[in-house]
Amino acid sequence: MRKLSKKLVAACMTAAMMLTMVPAAFAAEPETTTARPAPEEVLEATITPANGIASIADNGIEGAGTKSAPYQIDSASDFQALMNQTEDINNLEQLYVEITDDIDLSTVEEPDIWNGYLMYFYGHITGKDVTKDGVTRQPIISGMSGDRYLIYGWFGGSISNLTFDMKGNAATINYICGKLNGAFQNCTMNDIEIISTDENGNDTPILLPTNNQANYALFTYSMYGNFTMSNCVNNADMNGVTYASVFVGYYPLDKDGQYNFVNCVNNGEISLRHAGMFFGNNSGFVSNQELKEAFAFHENNVQQNKIQFS
């Protein structure tokens, strides 16, 4: 059983990541359940000139999904229309999306377990600051169900300037990044905050009550290719009986990838059977993959295990 203390700062870059963890006790033992499936192969997609951008203007959404005229998403119904557009990998095309108000995803169609609200997404999702009760802040996306992802199959782009309220559910922003037209694109998360509140607005921990959530992480389940996370902050506590982490749940499978972590901060109290900061499960790294100056716990490692990326 491991516990990660609050105020743990990961000022992490490609070759400089450091964590601090301390042991703790947790009484419950995990149930015998099936863990989420590990990625066995890279997701791949192909874009041809005939695909183009499928307009969702008929649903009353402002914008064209382009860089000069991004979709303006300000309601759950708008987001549902975006979900309907991105569910077919064969029609994948780069989209530009701006979230212009708080979005509650509890009212949209719930994905199947281990699937995403946005299936096979290529593009940019940017939050535009909102003013509520005289306070200007990032828009909040809430209401994701546990064991689901915001994006399943991310083929390049960025997610930025958003706050995610997990409402106690073990949901994750991204599943993995895939290959587009045979090559990995850049996937970046910038200025992302995670919180977890109850119906009264009070802090509530994210719960992982069984081993079903093994390899869980808040920000991304796993990584391929070129992945950057900067200025990402977790302010949510996490309690559970399995092995999981804050930033990355499962080890990356692409030995030639480049992974950058810059100014990522954990302020949450993380109490798990086996806790990690960057990897809830760091076993089975692909051959020739080296990790540089990052620390993670493994089930059979009671001391800090030095790992590094290159």
Side-chain angles (χ1 to χ4, degrees):
M1 182 70 205
R2 301 291 178 262
K3 185 178 182 180
L4 304 186
S5 61
K6 291 187 176 183
K7 303 298 183 184
L8 189 64
V9 177
C12 311
M13 295 179 225
T14 303
M17 301 188 292
M18 183 165 289
L19 312 169
T20 302
M21 289 172 279
V22 296
F26 197 92
E29 284 297 321
E31 298 177 7
T32 303
T33 58
T34 302
R36 75 180 64 205
E40 299 296 336
E41 59 184 21
V42 177
L43 294 175
E44 296 196 46
T46 301
I47 288 180
T48 64
N51 289 147
I53 294 179
S55 174
I56 53 176
D58 290 343
N59 291 322
I61 297 177
E62 180 183 351
T66 62
K67 186 174 183 179
S68 60
Y71 289 137
Q72 305 291 296
I73 306 294
D74 65 3
S75 67
S77 60
D78 285 352
F79 199 92
Q80 179 69 63
L82 184 65
M83 290 170 59
N84 296 341
Q85 179 174 342
T86 63
E87 64 185 3
D88 185 355
I89 194 171
N90 296 315
N91 290 325
L92 190 70
E93 182 55 282
Q94 187 171 32
L95 297 176
Y96 288 82
V97 177
E98 290 184 347
I99 306 296
T100 60
D101 205 345
D102 297 341
I103 306 292
D104 181 2
L105 297 184
S106 67
T107 62
V108 304
E109 182 179 346
E110 184 180 73
D112 292 337
I113 190 169
W114 308 132
N115 281 349
Y117 289 85
L118 300 178
M119 296 293 291
Y120 312 117
F121 183 79
Y122 171 39
H124 306 269
I125 301 176
T126 304
K128 306 298 289 186
D129 285 350
V130 299
T131 301
K132 305 279 187 178
D133 300 322
V135 177
T136 300
R137 57 164 174 78
Q138 298 177 163
I140 298 173
I141 294 179
S142 63
M144 284 197 293
S145 297
D147 304 332
R148 272 80 173 174
Y149 309 95
L150 179 74
I151 297 176
Y152 181 100
W154 189 15
F155 293 92
S158 63
I159 305 171
S160 60
N161 199 51
L162 287 166
T163 296
F164 290 84
D165 188 345
M166 297 304 189
K167 300 294 183 184
N169 296 323
T172 301
I173 298 174
N174 177 50
Y175 173 55
I176 55 174
C177 299
K179 279 185 177 179
L180 183 63
N181 291 350
F184 286 111
Q185 309 299 310
N186 293 324
C187 292
T188 63
M189 288 187 185
N190 304 311
D191 299 311
I192 300 296
E193 179 186 8
I194 289 180
I195 60 176
S196 182
T197 67
D198 61 20
E199 63 274 11
N200 297 316
N202 299 316
D203 292 341
T204 190
I206 295 168
L207 301 178
L208 287 76
T210 76
N211 210 42
N212 194 46
Q213 291 90 7
N215 306 322
Y216 174 75
L218 295 160
F219 289 87
T220 187
Y221 173 60
S222 189
M223 302 175 296
Y224 288 110
N226 305 313
F227 186 91
T228 297
M229 188 183 295
S230 64
N231 301 319
C232 291
V233 179
N234 172 51
N235 288 316
D237 295 343
M238 191 190 311
N239 296 335
V241 297
T242 187
Y243 46 98
S245 78
V246 175
F247 295 103
V248 183
Y250 202 71
Y251 58 86
L253 301 182
D254 175 37
K255 67 184 179 65
D256 297 318
Q258 180 165 322
Y259 311 100
N260 305 293
F261 298 88
V262 184
N263 298 327
C264 296
V265 180
N266 174 59
N267 294 319
E269 182 113 344
I270 312 300
S271 183
L272 300 165
R273 182 166 176 251
H274 301 292
M277 185 58 70
F278 282 93
F279 301 104
N281 183 353
N282 64 5
S283 62
F285 283 102
V286 294
S287 61
N288 301 323
Q289 179 150 2
E290 296 179 353
L291 298 173
K292 299 174 183 168
E293 294 181 6
F295 295 99
F297 275 106
H298 186 268
E299 182 171 354
N300 299 316
N301 190 355
V302 296
Q303 298 181 355
Q304 290 174 343
N305 181 26
K306 188 173 183 179
I307 327 177
Q308 290 195 31
F309 271 151
S310 64

